[in-house]
Amino acid sequence: MTPFRIGYAKGTGLSELPVIALSKAPGERASWDRQTWVVYLWGVCELLFVTNPWQISSGLRVKVLRLFGAEIAEGVVFRPRTRVRFPWKLHIGADSWIGEGAWFHNQDHIYIGHDVVISQETFLTTGSHAHRRDMALITRPIHIEDGAWITSRCIVLGGSRVGRSALAKPLTVISGDIPANAIVAGPAAEIVGERFISEKAPS
């Protein structure tokens, strides 16, 4: 049976356009990688200890994430109001900072190096959909290398790799590869400068 419904699309100038029947779209549970009760239990613990806006201990937040399989090295600061879809797909290196309200929508793995800053309200999502076929879930991992700084309210899409010590300015949308040491900005993550400028020897 076709996953499309055919209907009139107003304002397009076309008499018919396909509409994907979402009731027939493949489910997202393929990304869970755990038994249903584990996912539901994590949902409760996330609400109590991770998303909770109270200024409870960052160390307690990290312990709960580790209990559910997150790989978080020593010295990581994990602020309140954060969200983690699946802790068993989260990997964070030593001494990194996770800002308040950061959201790891990690249906695939997210790898964060050491001394990385993920600032307030930044959204990292590894999932998308087969939008021309059947809206099936498509996932790709995210890699953020050592020393990078993703500033506030950025969006990092699946398949992205942010190079060592790169910096994304607020509201940047990252999709693809960001070179090491680059400063990027805007909806296309355009390179606008270098973070660390080496002093050239006089000629």
Side-chain angles (χ1 to χ4, degrees), residues 34 38 41-42 45 49 60-72 87-88:
R34 292 292 186 277
V38 175
L41 180 60
W42 164 245
C45 292
F49 299 105
L60 176 59
R61 199 171 288 110
V62 167
K63 285 179 182 178
V64 173
L65 285 160
R66 286 174 178 159
L67 184 64
F68 281 85
E71 295 180 347
I72 302 177
W88 46 91

Side-chain angles (χ1 to χ4, degrees), residues 84-199:
V84 178
R85 183 70 180 99
F86 297 129
W88 46 91
K89 297 183 182 184
L90 182 61
H91 317 267
I92 304 177
D95 300 317
S96 290
W97 297 348
I98 309 302
E100 188 165 349
W103 185 0
F104 298 93
H105 194 258
N106 55 335
Q107 292 166 303
D108 207 321
H109 291 265
I110 294 179
Y111 301 92
I112 295 172
H114 67 77
D115 297 289
V116 169
V117 179
I118 308 293
S119 290
Q120 296 87 345
E121 308 288 348
T122 282
F123 177 51
L124 302 93
T125 179
T126 61
S128 188
H129 294 275
H131 63 277
R132 289 194 174 96
R133 190 177 72 238
D134 57 2
M135 290 296 284
L137 180 66
I138 298 171
T139 69
R140 293 185 296 168
I142 290 171
H143 294 81
I144 299 177
E145 297 182 6
D146 301 338
W149 180 12
I150 312 298
T151 64
S152 59
R153 296 193 172 183
C154 292
I155 297 174
V156 184
L157 301 178
S160 296
R161 180 179 291 272
V162 179
R164 181 183 177 94
S165 293
L167 186 155
K169 289 192 170 186
L171 302 176
T172 298
V173 179
I174 298 172
S175 176
D177 291 349
I178 303 301
N181 200 40
I183 298 175
V184 295
E190 296 180 6
I191 297 176
V192 296
E194 293 182 348
R195 183 175 177 187
F196 299 108
I197 301 173
S198 59
E199 295 183 5

Side-chain angles (χ1 to χ4, degrees), residues 18-41:
V19 174
I20 297 173
L22 295 181
S23 63
K24 296 180 176 63
E28 69 162 9
R29 293 195 178 194
S31 70
W32 285 17
D33 295 344
R34 292 292 186 277
Q35 292 178 291
T36 300
W37 70 268
V38 175
V39 176
Y40 288 169
L41 180 60

